[in-house]
Amino acid sequence: MVMIRLARVGAKKQPYYRIVVIEKDRARNGRSIEVIGTYNPRTSPASVELKHERVAYWRGVGAQFSPIVAKLVLKNPAPVSTSEPDAVPAADTAAA
C-alpha cells in the first residue's frame, strides 16, 4: 500500500520534514516514490508547502494519508482558482 507521510530531514533538535509518497512498509526515511511537499514546525506559524495537484493524483490512485499529513492537508487546502470569465461586450452599444 502507498502512503503519504512525513520523512524527517532536519538536524538534531531542529526538525524539518518532507511530505513524501512511500510504500507503507519502508523505513521512515527510506527511499520515497516522490516528494510532494515540506513541513517546517519551527516557524511561527508552522509553514507547509504542498503540491496540491500531486496530492490529488496520489489520492486518486489509492494512496492513504498518515494522521499527521491528513491534518496538514485539511489546514492547508488547495488555493481556489479565481480566474473570472472574459467580459462580454454589451450588444446595445453597437447600434447607432
Side-chain angles (χ1 to χ4, degrees), residues 21-87:
V21 179
I22 193 169
E23 288 290 328
K24 184 175 183 174
D25 56 349
R26 288 205 184 259
R28 178 190 72 184
N29 292 337
R31 187 182 59 179
S32 61
I33 299 170
E34 182 178 0
V35 177
I36 59 173
T38 59
Y39 170 55
N40 186 358
R42 299 185 71 225
T43 60
S44 181
S47 63
V48 177
E49 294 179 18
L50 286 168
K51 298 177 187 173
H52 291 284
E53 63 281 349
R54 297 306 294 165
V55 171
Y57 167 79
W58 283 108
R59 289 290 290 175
V61 296
Q64 299 292 311
F65 286 137
S66 70
I68 300 297
V69 172
K71 288 180 184 179
L72 292 175
V73 171
L74 283 176
K75 288 183 180 182
N76 298 285
V80 177
S81 170
T82 58
S83 60
E84 296 180 16
D86 294 335

